[in-house]
Amino acid sequence: MNGEDPPERPDYITNIINGLERYNPEAVSALETYLQEQCEQKFCDSNANRTLLKLYQLNPDRLKDEVVTNILVKAMTLFPSPQFSLTLHLINPTVAATGELGEALTKLRSLNSQLEGSQYAQFWASVDGDDLCADLIADISGFEDTIRHTIARLISQAFRELKLTHLESWLGLNEDATRTFVTEVAGWTIDEEGNIKIPSNPENEAKKAEIREDVSVEQFSRVIRRSWEETV
């Protein structure tokens, strides 16, 4: 997923980002509408969203809590990447530390930290057991599927085989749903003992590491001489 300059970006948004319109308060409405399109159509334009947050910095009276949290949730879907942190640092620290927005940002930071730390089971437990989390991701179409696809991609880069029960917790799914995901979405296989087989790829193949050290005759003779001196 290209979250920085997606192909879905329309020309009028490109003109805002690259021109003087990025300083125009009237551009806020267009960027907010574009964010809504991202939420509905399952793509992310981090560049445009950061432009919107910068306009909020210049025009704090226009800031909308729901827009800010939607931008952060969209950035979260791009993990593992710096997009969430880049977005978070554009939010006024005073605003981010108080009120309902402050509470929401604290929750989103926790969720992103769990994803970045590969604490997938904890992430799904947080999402499923918290009404605030449910509210924060409600506007983001396909949020859970996007996260699961990314987790599966990362797993395929690190494993050739793993237990079905492990994948269940990492995807936040029951056994039947996990089996469906494995075979129909990921294209992996499951044997009779519940072991998932992942095809080899350049990332999960074992690679032979060759360590070579070039030692000159002078260096070698110095080591021999020092050893001899220590024994005398």
Side-chain angles (χ1 to χ4, degrees):
M1 179 186 294
N2 181 0
E4 195 66 20
D5 296 296
E8 295 90 345
R9 179 192 294 161
D11 291 340
Y12 76 93
I13 294 295
T14 300
N15 293 336
I16 292 175
I17 294 173
N18 297 330
L20 293 177
E21 281 295 301
R22 67 182 182 273
Y23 302 112
N24 184 356
E26 300 306 315
V28 166
S29 178
L31 290 168
E32 288 175 343
T33 300
Y34 180 50
L35 172 64
Q36 185 61 35
E37 293 176 10
Q38 297 173 51
C39 294
E40 295 172 353
Q41 299 176 21
K42 304 179 184 180
F43 72 96
C44 184
D45 191 334
S46 297
N47 202 340
N49 295 339
R50 289 197 302 271
T51 300
L52 177 54
L53 290 178
K54 291 174 184 177
L55 279 171
Y56 281 162
Q57 287 181 327
L58 298 173
N59 306 275
D61 58 304
R62 290 178 174 263
L63 185 145
K64 298 177 182 177
D65 291 0
E66 185 177 2
V67 171
V68 172
T69 56
N70 281 348
I71 289 175
L72 283 168
V73 175
K74 290 299 293 183
M76 190 188 304
T77 63
L78 299 176
F79 91 100
S81 79
Q83 294 296 349
F84 185 89
S85 295
L86 291 173
T87 300
L88 191 63
H89 282 88
L90 290 174
I91 301 171
N92 186 314
T94 302
V95 174
T98 59
E100 293 182 358
L101 180 58
E103 182 182 0
L105 296 185
T106 298
K107 180 62 65 175
L108 291 175
R109 276 194 293 263
S110 176
L111 291 176
N112 187 71
S113 178
Q114 289 168 350
L115 286 176
E116 294 286 353
S118 301
Q119 299 171 329
Y120 304 134
Q122 294 180 27
F123 170 82
W124 293 116
S126 298
V127 170
D128 294 338
D130 192 304
D131 291 340
L132 176 57
C133 287
D135 290 340
L136 291 172
I137 67 174
D139 291 340
I140 314 302
S141 177
F143 172 80
E144 294 183 350
D145 287 342
T146 300
I147 296 297
R148 289 188 176 105
H149 290 172
T150 301
I151 291 173
R153 175 173 57 82
L154 295 174
I155 289 172
S156 72
Q157 294 173 353
F159 293 89
R160 291 288 299 278
E161 181 178 322
L162 74 155
K163 289 290 187 181
L164 178 64
T165 52
H166 291 161
L167 190 62
E168 287 177 28
S169 64
W170 292 347
L171 295 181
L173 297 171
N174 60 32
E175 180 179 346
D176 290 341
T178 302
R179 286 181 177 274
T180 300
F181 183 94
V182 167
T183 57
E184 298 183 8
V185 178
W188 305 336
T189 58
I190 309 174
D191 65 20
E192 295 179 353
E193 298 178 352
N195 297 311
I196 298 173
K197 308 292 184 179
I198 301 175
S200 62
N201 58 64
E203 284 77 21
N204 68 12
E205 286 183 338
K207 297 179 177 63
K208 181 180 179 181
E210 295 185 4
I211 301 176
R212 179 178 178 181
E213 295 185 6
D214 294 324
V215 181
S216 66
V217 174
E218 182 181 352
Q219 290 173 318
F220 186 72
S221 63
R222 192 180 304 134
V223 171
I224 297 298
R225 184 169 58 254
R226 185 177 301 136
S227 300
W228 181 80
E229 291 173 349
E230 290 176 353
T231 58
V232 175

